[in-house]
Amino acid sequence: MEIVTGNSNHPKNSIKRLNSSSPTKVNILMVDDHPENLLALEAVLMSPNYHLVRANSGKEALKRMLQQDFAVILLDVQMPGLNGFETAKLIKAREKTKHIPIIFITAISQDMEHVLQGYEVGAVDYIFKPFQPETLKKKIEQFVKIHLNNEESKLQTVQERTEELNKKLDRTALNLRRTEALAKVIGETIIDTIITFDDQGTILSVNPAIQTMFGYDPEELISKHVCVLLHETRAGTSEESYLASLSCIKQYAGKVMESVVYRKDDSWFHADILIGETTVEQHKIYVCTIRDVTTRKQMEQAQKLQFDQMEKMVETRTLELTKANEELHKEIIERKRMASHLYRSQERFRKIFDSSPCLMAICSIEDFIIIEVNAYWVTLTGYQNKEIVNKKINAADFIDESTGKPIEFDQKHLNKKIHYKTKDGGLREGLLSTEIIDIASEPCMLLVLTDVTDRVHLEKQLARLDRLNLIGEMAAGIAHEIRNPMTTVQGFLQIARNNSELLSTEIIDLMLEELFRANSIISEFLNLAKNKISMKKRQNLNSILGAISPLIQAEALRSRKYVKLDLHECPDILLDEKEIRQLILNVALNGLDAMTQNGQLTIKTYTKQDKVILEIKDQGKGIQPEILEKLGTPFFTTKEKGTGLGLAICFSVAKRHQAEIDIATGNKGTVFSIHFPFIPNKEEG
């Protein structure tokens, strides 16, 4: 497009005149949601003649335009909320702002449809990032000059416009030249080829990009037919062929057309062609924009090739998976059948395992790690499931009764008599059997332990009761026969004691002492009698302990030992005070005898459920197992001058009070626990 110039209205002279008459800064609006982009634009356009206004969104830009006028708008396309295209539509829809030139700036979409959309909403240019700063500055200068001229025109009054009509015409011509110059600058800076041609297809103008894209000098194509560039084949170049091609090209006006175009050297490339149509002085003019999309096409072809290869791979893999799936389906059916059979077997074993009255455990043969135990194992041993499962079995907790050594679990056992320890350190009796079983194809050991503690305890109790009954009957018999002559002897000796001529006092005292001791033994025998009647009444155990404690304290201090009373609130129960005092004294004195100097004897009372419990704990060396079994047997004693009847009397007293005596012993001392039943008043009768 040619530019008409004149010396009197040269653009530079006009700009100087406008600058001299308009010292006010020109407003330029920059719209971008990224502050760094606004800062970059500001650095490029910084000038004392410009007032640069920032806006971070389309909505903020519209607010700015309501507050002040702008010479040009630099508008980002991609923004949250209102994007660049929507913002431009709103600007052009407003009468006051529709004349402001808009330049789109984007770094994302360079597709022709987006460029066309930008021009359709009213943009005068479409700049891609990164842009050339000098080019942008020149474009802005041109738009500012246009704005200044427009502002100058607005300031002219109607009278001045009438008087200076010729000057106005000159300015109009100048504006035209400026517009042409601007179009030239735009055409020179854009990377796409822009061609204008008339209704007959004659090329009117081309921009410099034609040389880079097609290899033609712009002058070579002026007045040539546009089909020289846009015809899909170079074979036919007749007028009829050109007319047919031109007709086809015109049909694509306003649309993006994909085509193959040829360079001057007959090489070709893929291009997107956009045809725009306008009318100038009743003549149709067409503007054609050509963009080289060879790289994009190559990428599309590569992607298509890759997609085809992937489709083949997927098809092959699908066939393999289908075949594998069929085989897997058969295997699943077989596994389900086997699993069903295994499940039924496991269910039977599980029911036997869980409901067995014996202690049962499963452990691995390799490392003897416990895999599982049944509920009865947890109940009797006192261990929680999590405390023993997945832990190695402790052979020291299972002692062979015959050898006193830990059980060897790598050997098979059948009803082996053992002692096993519970969590609280107690020992129980049992019969151990082991068997090798397979669980999940892994060899394991099944431990079956039949607890016989209660049976053994019952047998011992029956044996002890038999002995006590026998001794009681014997004591009742001999006491009746011996007591009368002893009473006579005692009387004569007392009379003779008053006559010192008969016997010396020392001999008489010695005889009396021996007779008293014999009488004491006979009394203890009588206490063992089965048919002895206890004089019980409801009273408090703590009161009896309070009354007898000074005697125990005195005995302890005599041997440099200590007694601690830990008495808790207890209900009144049926007690024979004399018998209970004797029981407490016997156990307490035994505890003091078992300790060395500075030892402490603790006497404690408390309630637990429906029992009143008396505990007497010493700090001695404990009782040996072989002695512990014989405790309470008449005439059995470890003392040099003992009768062996003290604990036998204690057991007899406990029996008459329906109480139970438990003995816990160790290397840190022995605890005697007497459990008295609590009987409410309504049950006394």
Side-chain angles (χ1 to χ4, degrees):
M1 190 178 292
E2 296 183 2
I3 300 175
V4 181
T5 60
N7 294 332
S8 62
N9 292 316
H10 195 276
K12 291 183 179 180
N13 297 331
S14 178
I15 291 172
K16 289 179 181 179
R17 178 161 42 81
L18 289 172
N19 289 338
S20 64
S21 62
S22 301
T24 305
K25 289 186 177 181
V26 175
N27 295 328
I28 298 176
L29 179 60
M30 303 178 297
V31 186
D32 199 308
D33 59 323
H34 294 287
E36 60 273 19
N37 294 340
L38 294 174
L39 187 64
L41 289 172
E42 188 173 338
V44 172
L45 301 178
M46 184 64 69
S47 170
N49 296 325
Y50 300 157
H51 177 228
L52 304 176
V53 180
R54 295 185 180 186
N56 295 319
S57 66
K59 187 178 292 185
E60 186 179 353
L62 295 175
K63 290 181 180 179
R64 296 285 189 184
M65 298 188 70
L66 293 174
Q67 298 170 356
Q68 51 190 316
D69 296 326
F70 295 95
V72 65
I73 301 172
L74 298 173
L75 183 59
D76 184 30
V77 174
Q78 299 290 336
M79 292 187 297
L82 287 174
N83 61 29
F85 297 144
E86 293 169 342
T87 304
K89 286 181 180 179
L90 294 174
I91 293 172
K92 293 301 180 180
R94 187 166 171 258
E95 185 64 26
K96 186 178 178 181
T97 59
K98 67 180 182 179
H99 66 281
I100 302 176
I102 299 173
I103 300 176
F104 279 123
I105 300 179
T106 183
I108 300 176
S109 180
Q110 300 184 14
D111 294 338
M112 183 53 65
E113 57 265 31
H114 289 282
V115 176
L116 177 60
Q117 186 177 359
Y119 287 133
E120 285 178 349
V121 297
V124 299
D125 200 0
Y126 205 103
I127 298 177
F128 300 102
K129 301 175 185 177
F131 53 80
Q132 292 293 329
E134 289 300 322
T135 302
L136 179 61
K137 287 176 66 175
K138 288 180 181 180
K139 290 184 179 183
I140 295 301
E141 286 177 2
Q142 296 300 323
F143 285 113
V144 168
K145 291 172 185 178
I146 294 173
H147 173 75
L148 292 174
N149 283 327
N150 290 335
E151 290 298 316
E152 183 179 7
S153 297
K154 291 178 182 179
L155 294 174
Q156 298 297 329
T157 63
V158 176
Q159 184 178 359
E160 290 173 345
R161 290 173 184 172
T162 304
E163 293 175 352
E164 299 179 1
L165 181 58
N166 292 331
K167 293 181 180 180
K168 182 180 179 181
L169 292 174
D170 292 340
R171 287 196 297 272
T172 303
L174 178 60
N175 289 338
L176 179 60
R177 289 195 296 272
R178 288 173 179 169
T179 302
E180 291 176 347
L182 178 62
K184 181 179 179 182
V185 170
I186 294 173
E188 290 175 351
T189 56
I190 196 168
I191 61 173
D192 296 337
T193 295
I194 300 177
I195 305 170
T196 61
F197 58 92
D198 59 17
D199 197 38
Q200 285 73 39
T202 303
I203 296 175
L204 302 177
S205 66
V206 292
N207 69 335
I210 192 75
Q211 189 167 15
T212 303
M213 189 176 293
F214 286 88
Y216 290 102
D217 290 330
E219 293 77 10
E220 291 183 68
L221 296 174
I222 302 299
S223 300
K224 295 288 182 65
H225 200 280
V226 71
C227 289
V228 172
L229 299 175
L230 304 183
H231 202 264
E232 292 188 359
T233 174
R234 306 299 292 276
T237 55
S238 63
E239 184 176 353
E240 292 80 6
S241 176
Y242 280 166
L243 288 174
S245 297
L246 181 61
S247 176
C248 181
I249 291 170
K250 289 179 180 180
Q251 292 178 2
Y252 279 93
K255 302 177 183 178
V256 177
M257 177 177 63
E258 292 186 0
S259 181
V260 174
V261 295
Y262 290 85
R263 302 185 182 91
K264 185 177 181 179
D265 59 1
D266 288 340
S267 62
W268 58 271
F269 62 91
H270 294 280
D272 282 349
I273 302 172
L274 177 61
I275 307 294
E277 180 181 349
T278 186
T279 301
V280 179
E281 296 180 356
Q282 299 181 352
H283 295 287
K284 286 187 177 181
I285 302 296
Y286 296 89
V287 179
C288 175
T289 303
I290 304 174
R291 173 170 293 181
D292 188 346
V293 293
T294 303
T295 303
R296 190 189 74 192
K297 287 291 185 180
Q298 290 173 348
M299 292 178 62
E300 289 175 353
Q301 290 177 357
Q303 290 175 352
K304 185 177 182 304
L305 180 61
Q306 186 178 10
F307 180 76
D308 292 341
Q309 291 175 347
M310 289 182 65
E311 275 192 333
K312 292 180 180 179
M313 291 174 62
V314 168
E315 185 178 354
T316 303
R317 186 58 178 163
T318 301
L319 293 174
E320 294 175 356
L321 290 175
T322 301
K323 184 177 179 181
N325 189 45
E326 292 175 354
E327 295 177 355
L328 181 61
H329 182 66
K330 295 178 182 178
E331 186 176 349
I332 288 173
I333 294 174
E334 179 63 22
R335 284 180 177 269
K336 283 183 177 180
R337 187 186 65 78
M338 295 174 62
S340 177
H341 176 72
L342 180 61
Y343 176 76
R344 289 192 297 271
S345 300
Q346 289 178 343
E347 278 296 302
R348 287 193 294 269
F349 176 77
R350 170 59 59 190
K351 289 179 180 178
I352 295 171
F353 185 81
D354 290 338
S355 60
S356 174
C358 300
L359 290 80
M360 300 183 73
I362 300 172
C363 65
S364 63
I365 290 181
E366 183 177 355
D367 48 14
F368 298 104
I369 297 295
I370 296 177
I371 300 172
E372 191 171 0
V373 296
N374 67 348
Y376 201 55
W377 186 291
V378 173
T379 301
L380 286 190
T381 62
Y383 288 100
Q384 294 298 318
N385 214 297
K386 60 183 179 181
E387 294 178 307
I388 50 179
V389 173
N390 296 327
K391 293 182 174 57
K392 189 172 183 178
I393 191 168
N394 187 4
D397 289 345
F398 301 86
I399 307 300
D400 190 335
E401 185 180 283
S402 59
T403 63
K405 296 180 180 180
I407 290 292
E408 297 179 0
F409 285 102
D410 55 353
Q411 298 179 4
K412 187 174 180 179
H413 302 283
L414 181 62
N415 290 331
K416 187 77 171 179
K417 290 185 177 181
I418 66 167
H419 301 292
Y420 67 96
K421 292 182 181 179
T422 60
K423 183 179 180 180
D424 57 8
L427 283 177
R428 297 186 69 88
E429 311 283 340
L431 301 176
L432 177 66
S433 298
T434 59
E435 187 64 43
I436 304 299
I437 61 173
D438 285 336
I439 297 180
S441 301
E442 180 182 350
C444 298
M445 179 182 292
L446 175 65
L447 279 69
V448 180
L449 182 58
T450 304
D451 187 83
V452 295
T453 304
D454 294 339
R455 188 180 75 187
V456 171
H457 181 70
L458 181 60
E459 290 174 353
K460 290 181 179 179
Q461 289 294 332
L462 290 174
R464 176 178 291 174
L465 288 175
D466 289 341
R467 290 196 300 271
L468 288 175
N469 289 334
L470 177 61
I471 292 171
E473 292 173 1
M474 180 185 69
I478 66 172
H480 181 72
E481 298 296 331
I482 295 175
R483 214 165 194 185
N484 288 334
M486 284 185 62
T487 302
T488 303
V489 173
Q490 184 178 3
F492 277 112
L493 287 175
Q494 286 176 343
I495 294 171
R497 186 175 183 275
N498 295 326
N499 188 353
S500 58
E501 296 179 356
L502 299 177
L503 293 171
S504 66
T505 304
E506 290 80 2
I507 295 173
I508 294 172
D509 288 340
L510 180 61
M511 293 175 66
L512 286 173
E513 183 180 345
E514 290 299 323
L515 286 173
F516 284 136
R517 185 172 183 274
N519 189 53
S520 174
I521 293 172
I522 293 171
S523 297
E524 289 182 354
F525 268 113
L526 289 175
N527 286 332
L528 293 175
K530 179 179 181 183
N531 57 354
K532 181 177 179 182
I533 299 174
S534 297
M535 303 300 294
K536 299 181 209 174
K537 65 178 180 179
R538 188 169 291 277
Q539 52 190 314
N540 197 279
L541 183 61
N542 290 340
S543 300
I544 298 174
L545 283 167
I548 202 174
S549 62
L551 180 61
I552 302 173
Q553 293 277 9
E555 181 64 23
L557 291 174
R558 190 177 63 80
S559 56
R560 296 184 183 179
K561 298 167 188 175
Y562 305 96
V563 177
K564 177 184 176 183
L565 294 180
D566 185 12
L567 307 181
H568 297 267
E569 185 176 352
C570 299
D572 293 345
I573 54 177
L574 292 173
L575 298 174
D576 184 326
E577 183 176 355
K578 290 183 179 180
E579 289 188 344
I580 296 302
R581 286 167 64 95
Q582 185 177 9
L583 183 148
I584 295 171
L585 279 173
N586 285 350
V587 177
L589 294 177
N590 283 344
L592 290 172
D593 291 341
M595 295 189 299
T596 58
Q597 290 185 0
N598 298 321
Q600 178 175 286
L601 183 75
T602 303
I603 302 176
K604 179 180 180 182
T605 60
Y606 60 94
T607 58
K608 185 176 181 182
Q609 297 177 352
D610 58 347
K611 302 284 186 181
V612 176
I613 300 174
L614 167 65
E615 278 189 4
I616 301 177
K617 179 180 180 182
D618 64 52
Q619 294 181 342
K621 296 181 180 179
I623 304 172
Q624 298 298 323
E626 60 272 12
I627 297 176
L628 186 63
E629 291 183 358
K630 299 178 181 179
L631 284 184
T633 302
F635 305 112
F636 175 77
T637 180
T638 59
K639 299 178 182 178
E640 185 177 348
K641 295 183 178 181
T643 63
L645 297 174
L647 285 180
I649 292 172
C650 291
F651 279 103
S652 180
V653 170
K655 181 182 178 184
R656 287 195 290 274
H657 284 77
Q658 299 178 1
E660 296 179 357
I661 299 178
D662 288 339
I663 304 173
T665 186
N667 55 11
K668 293 184 179 180
T670 302
V671 180
F672 277 79
S673 300
I674 301 95
H675 299 249
F676 294 95
F678 171 65
I679 304 174
N681 287 329
K682 63 181 181 179
E683 298 180 7
E684 289 183 18

